Amino acid sequence: MTPYKYETAAKLTLSMEKLQQILLLFLAFHFLKAGSQVFDTTGWLSIDCGAEYPRLSNNLIVWEPDGRLIKTGFNRKVQEKQDLEEMNTLRSFHDVLSEEHCYKLPVYKLTLRYIIRAGFFYGNYDGLSRPPTFNLTVEGKMWTTVNTSSMDGSPVYHEISYMSHRSGEINVCLVQTREGEAPFISSLEAVPMWVKLFPKLTSNATIHLVTRTNFGGPEVRFTSGLHGDMFNRIWTRGATPPNCREVSTMPADTTLEIENRPPMAAVGDSIEPINPSDPIILSIPLPPLIPQVARFVFYFSDHSCQVHEGSNTRTAPRITQIYINGTPQSDPVKFKSCSCKVVYSQRINVKAGSVVNITLAATNESKLPPMLSAMEMFTWEDTEDHRGASSITACESFFTLCIIFIQALYFLALEI
C-alpha cells in the first residue's frame, strides 16, 4: 500500500471514530431530553479522565474524555476494577516534585456557583501498591490534600461549591508534594447551580463539603427518575448507630419541594433509636484543613402518621434538641406529623483533624424519639464581607447599569 493510501485509511478510521462520538452524543442528548423532564442537565461537565471515547452511563450522564482539557499526563487503566466505569481509567502525571498539572474547565461567562467534584481511585494502576498523596488547587488557591489510600477500597471524592466570576473557565490543578508520589485523577465533574441552594451558608466563599450522608438507606446519586439528586450530588450511605433502627419515611407527597432540593430517596429513609428515650449520637472526623467555619444541615422526614396510623399517638409531639460538641443548637426542633423539615446548625469553628460530636435527643415534652433522614456538613474560610450576597449583587447591578449608560451615551454621540 502506498503512503498516500496509508494516510487515507488512517484519516478514514479517525473520521469513523469521530462520527461514532457525534452519534453517541446526539443520542444521549435526546435520551436526556426525553427522560429528564424534571431535571435540567444544561451545562453539566462529566469528565472521565484517561478515557479515549465518550460514553453514556446507565443513569444517562454523558461522560467525555479529558484530552481536550489538559495537555499533560498519560491514560492509564486500573488493575482492580470498579462498578463505576469512570473509576476504571485515570490520567497519571510525571513524577516531578512541585509540578502543576491543570485542567481548564469551560464554564459560562456568568457569576454562577458550580458544584465541582474530583474523584480518585488508585486501583493499583502502576502495580506498585503505593497510593500517592498530593495537593489539589482551584484557581491557584489550595483546595485540599488528596490521600488516595481508601480504607475500604472505594473511590475518594472531594467536592466544593465554587463561584465562577465570568472568566469562562475554572482551573483545577494537581500538584505533587512528595518524592516518588506522582498525582493522578479518575474523574472531574462540574454542575452549574441554576437554583440557589444553601442561602444560609455564605455568599462568596468557596464551600467545602465534609460529608453528605443518607441515613437509613443506600447511596443516592443522580438518576433520570423522580427520586434521584437533580444536582448530581452524592449522598453516601451512613452507618446506623447500634442503638438505632432504619425506618421508612417516604413523604406522602413525593412532589414536595424541600429546601436545598434533597432527593426523595434521601428523605425517604431515616434512623431512630430503638428505645425512644435514647439519643442519636454521631461522630464526624474532620480532614486536614486550616481552621475554618462550619455549619451542619439536617434533614428530617417525620413518619409518625404512617407508624401510628389510627392510634392516639399519631398527633403526639416529636421535639428534638440538637447538640454539637455538647452545645445546644438554638431552640428545640418541633416537627409536624408526616412533614419534612430542614434545620441549620449555628456557625462553629473547627480545627484540622478534630472530631465533631453530634447528639440528637428527645426533650422532656416529646412523646416520640428523635429521628434523622440525612445530613450535610460544610466548611469555608471566614474571609468574606458579612454584608452578604445582597449588597454584592446590588453593587454588581449598579456597575452594570453604569456600563450600559456609558455605552448608550457613546453610541448617541456617534449618531450626532
Side-chain angles (χ1 to χ4, degrees):
M1 186 179 290
T2 65
Y4 174 77
K5 290 183 178 180
Y6 272 119
E7 184 179 353
T8 302
K11 288 182 177 179
L12 182 60
T13 302
L14 185 61
S15 298
M16 289 299 294
E17 290 176 355
K18 288 185 176 180
L19 181 60
Q20 289 175 353
Q21 294 178 17
I22 293 170
L23 287 174
L24 177 60
L25 293 174
F26 177 78
L27 290 172
F29 174 79
H30 284 280
F31 272 124
L32 286 170
K33 286 297 182 183
S36 59
Q37 298 300 316
V38 178
F39 304 115
D40 183 4
T41 59
T42 303
W44 285 25
L45 279 175
S46 300
I47 310 302
D48 187 353
C49 303
E52 296 182 1
Y53 305 105
R55 62 180 178 83
L56 183 65
S57 67
N58 292 334
N59 57 351
L60 301 182
I61 291 179
V62 178
W63 288 88
E64 60 175 292
D66 61 347
R68 71 183 180 92
L69 303 177
I70 192 167
K71 301 303 180 184
T72 60
F74 312 92
N75 290 356
R76 304 290 192 191
K77 293 184 179 180
V78 301
Q79 296 183 22
E80 304 164 7
K81 296 295 184 181
Q82 277 277 315
D83 292 336
L84 296 169
E85 186 60 33
E86 60 271 18
M87 292 296 144
N88 291 327
T89 60
L90 57 84
R91 180 173 291 269
S92 67
F93 301 94
H94 287 291
D95 183 4
V96 179
L97 201 62
S98 300
E99 187 171 53
E100 281 191 342
H101 307 279
C102 298
Y103 282 84
K104 293 184 179 294
L105 302 182
V107 296
Y108 292 101
K109 290 186 177 181
L110 301 169
T111 300
L112 182 65
R113 270 204 179 273
Y114 277 81
I115 293 175
I116 303 176
R117 181 168 58 243
F120 307 87
F121 180 65
Y122 174 62
N124 200 25
Y125 78 91
D126 54 5
L128 299 177
S129 299
R130 193 173 61 190
T133 296
F134 48 87
N135 284 348
L136 196 62
T137 67
V138 58
E139 289 299 321
K141 295 183 178 180
M142 182 64 177
W143 174 349
T144 190
T145 296
V146 181
N147 183 350
T148 61
S149 179
S150 174
M151 295 297 291
D152 59 358
S154 60
V156 174
Y157 291 103
H158 290 278
E159 180 182 308
I160 57 174
S161 172
Y162 181 81
M163 183 76 79
S164 66
H165 294 284
R166 304 179 182 178
S167 65
E169 66 179 26
I170 299 174
N171 290 284
V172 175
C173 303
L174 297 89
V175 185
Q176 184 171 343
T177 56
R178 298 182 183 182
E179 194 73 46
E181 297 189 21
F184 74 88
I185 184 168
S186 304
S187 65
L188 190 55
E189 300 168 85
V191 176
M193 298 169 66
W194 298 112
V195 177
K196 185 175 182 179
L197 303 182
F198 308 104
K200 299 175 185 176
L201 289 184
T202 177
S203 57
N204 295 317
T206 297
I207 301 171
H208 298 251
L209 175 71
V210 175
T211 184
R212 178 181 292 120
T213 309
N214 176 33
F215 291 103
E219 180 182 270
V220 180
R221 294 178 178 241
F222 171 80
T223 66
S224 57
L226 291 173
H227 293 171
D229 190 286
M230 64 187 299
F231 296 99
N232 201 21
R233 296 169 293 189
I234 300 175
W235 301 74
T236 60
R237 177 177 175 80
T240 300
N243 69 325
C244 293
R245 63 186 175 189
E246 299 176 358
V247 293
S248 175
T249 55
M250 183 62 72
D253 182 5
T254 56
T255 63
L256 186 68
E257 188 172 293
I258 307 168
E259 185 177 355
N260 301 331
R261 310 289 183 89
M264 281 296 154
V267 298
D269 297 293
S270 303
I271 57 172
E272 68 176 11
I274 299 171
N275 183 342
S277 61
D278 283 352
I280 298 174
I281 300 176
L282 305 169
S283 295
I284 311 299
L286 298 182
L289 42 76
I290 61 174
Q292 292 184 328
V293 172
R295 288 190 82 170
F296 285 87
V297 186
F298 300 96
Y299 298 87
F300 305 93
S301 181
D302 189 282
H303 69 297
S304 56
C305 63
Q306 301 172 28
V307 176
H308 307 287
E309 184 72 39
S311 69
N312 57 6
T313 60
R314 180 178 179 182
T315 57
R318 187 193 301 272
I319 309 173
T320 301
Q321 179 67 66
I322 302 174
Y323 299 86
I324 296 181
N325 291 334
T327 302
Q329 298 293 295
S330 63
D331 297 328
V333 182
K334 297 181 180 180
F335 300 92
K336 292 182 180 180
S337 180
C338 262
S339 65
C340 297
K341 196 176 187 72
V342 180
V343 177
Y344 289 78
S345 75
Q346 299 170 4
R347 291 158 57 105
I348 62 173
N349 294 318
V350 294
K351 297 180 180 179
S354 62
V355 176
V356 180
N357 296 303
I358 300 170
T359 302
L360 292 88
T363 65
N364 293 332
E365 296 79 16
S366 181
K367 301 300 182 183
L368 296 173
M371 49 79 63
L372 180 62
S373 302
M375 180 183 72
E376 296 172 291
M377 180 185 180
F378 301 95
T379 63
W380 65 91
E381 290 186 61
D382 192 20
T383 57
E384 64 173 330
D385 184 347
H386 289 283
R387 291 174 300 173
S390 58
S391 61
I392 294 166
T393 304
C395 288
E396 284 188 350
S397 299
F398 174 75
F399 284 117
T400 301
L401 287 174
C402 287
I403 291 171
I404 294 173
F405 181 69
I406 292 170
Q407 287 178 338
L409 289 177
Y410 172 75
F411 286 112
L412 182 61
L414 289 178
E415 291 294 330
I416 296 173

